[in-house]
Amino acid sequence: MSLDDPGSLKEAATAIRERRISALELTKAAIERAKSSHSTLNAFIEIEEESALNAARQADETLARGMATGLLHGVPLAHMDMYDRKGFVTVCGSNIRAASHVATETSTVMQRLEAAGAVSIGRLNMSEFAMGPTGHNYHHGRALNPIDPTRITGGSSSGSGSAVGGGVVLRVRVQRQDVVLRGPAQRGGLGWRGEQAGGQHQATDQGIEFHQALQREIRVRHATGARRCGGAG
C-alpha cells in the first residue's frame, strides 16, 4: 500500500497499527485528495481539516504509547452531512439550516466510529435533506460522477459515491435506506452493503433522521451503468 493507494480499509488499519504508515500521513493524503478533486467531484460540503489533523496526531501519539482505540484506529473516513457531531456544523445539504447550526450532541453512528478510532475528514455532499434520488443539490452544486461527470451520481448520498468511487476515502457513512446506497454505489462503480450490528438486513421506513443508529457501508466492488444527467445543479 501507499499514500496514493492505501489499499483496503483493513490494509490501511493494519499498516497504521504496525506503524508502517502514520495516521497523520494517511489523513493528510486524504485531505489533499479531497481538495484536489473538488473541481472534478464536488464530493464535500466541508473539509474539516484542522480537527481531522488533530485527531490523526492524537491517534499516532496514542499508538506510540502502545494503545489503539479500536479496529479503525487512525483511519481517515468521511460522513454524509446529516450525522451530528457535538461542536460541529450539520446542515443536511441545505441552506435552510444555517451554517451556524452547531450540534449539541453526537449521533449514535458517529459515536461508534469515534469509539472505533476513525478520523473524520469532513461532511459529504448529498441531496437536500436526503430527499432526492438523482443526487442534485441546488445549494452546494451536484456531486459529480467519478466515472463520467455527464452522468448523475444518484442520491441521496451523492457525495459519498463520488468520494469513494473517486478514491478520496476508502469508505463512508451514509443514510440507512437501501435506495440511498444503491444509486450512488452502482453509478460510481461501487458495490454496497447494508447491515445491522448483528449482520441482519432490515427493511426500513422512508423518512429523515438526523441521528442514525443503523450502520451502512459503501465499498468498492464493481462498475455498472448510469443515466445521463438531464438537469443542472
Side-chain angles (χ1 to χ4, degrees):
M1 62 165 291
S2 66
L3 290 177
D4 293 329
D5 183 12
S8 68
L9 191 65
K10 181 178 180 180
E11 288 170 338
T14 300
I16 291 173
R17 283 174 176 271
E18 294 177 352
R19 304 185 71 177
R20 290 184 280 114
I21 198 166
S22 71
L24 184 59
E25 288 174 320
L26 271 183
T27 300
K28 282 183 175 180
I31 290 172
E32 287 307 309
R33 289 194 296 271
K35 288 180 176 180
S36 63
S37 66
H38 181 70
S39 61
T40 55
L41 294 178
N42 194 32
F44 284 80
I45 286 179
E46 183 178 8
I47 299 170
E48 297 166 342
E49 182 172 6
E50 183 177 356
S51 64
L53 293 178
N54 287 338
R57 291 189 186 97
Q58 185 175 352
D60 287 333
E61 292 170 2
T62 300
L63 198 59
R65 296 194 297 270
M67 296 180 288
T69 305
L71 293 176
L72 297 176
H73 186 91
V75 178
L77 304 178
H79 63 281
M80 197 174 175
D81 179 36
M82 62 183 296
Y83 297 111
D84 281 351
R85 295 171 69 205
K86 186 176 181 178
F88 290 82
V89 170
T90 306
V91 299
C92 300
S94 179
N95 282 348
I96 296 175
R97 298 184 81 182
S100 60
H101 177 84
V102 179
T104 57
E105 58 182 333
T106 299
S107 62
T108 302
V109 160
M110 296 309 296
Q111 287 177 8
R112 291 176 178 177
L113 285 173
E114 290 173 2
V119 174
S120 180
I121 69 168
R123 297 180 289 120
L124 292 161
N125 205 347
M126 58 181 284
S127 301
E128 185 177 14
F129 292 121
M131 301 294 284
T134 66
H136 286 80
N137 187 304
Y138 291 95
H139 301 297
H140 302 283
R142 69 180 181 91
L144 301 175
N145 189 303
I147 296 176
D148 183 348
T150 69
R151 298 173 184 266
I152 62 171
T153 57
S156 61
S157 53
S158 53
S160 302
S162 292
V164 180
V168 178
V169 290
L170 296 174
R171 197 168 292 190
V172 295
R173 187 59 57 187
V174 303
Q175 194 190 10
R176 70 184 182 182
Q177 283 90 359
D178 286 351
V179 67
V180 173
L181 296 159
R182 286 174 174 165
Q186 292 172 340
R187 292 174 176 85
L190 306 170
W192 68 279
R193 185 178 70 183
E195 60 184 39
Q196 292 178 286
Q200 298 298 314
H201 289 263
Q202 175 177 306
T204 58
D205 295 330
Q206 291 289 342
I208 299 172
E209 281 188 46
F210 299 139
H211 302 273
Q212 297 286 335
L214 194 64
Q215 297 185 30
R216 292 289 192 175
E217 297 173 345
I218 287 181
R219 60 181 176 181
V220 176
R221 281 189 181 176
H222 56 83
T224 61
R227 292 191 294 122
R228 289 196 175 275
C229 177

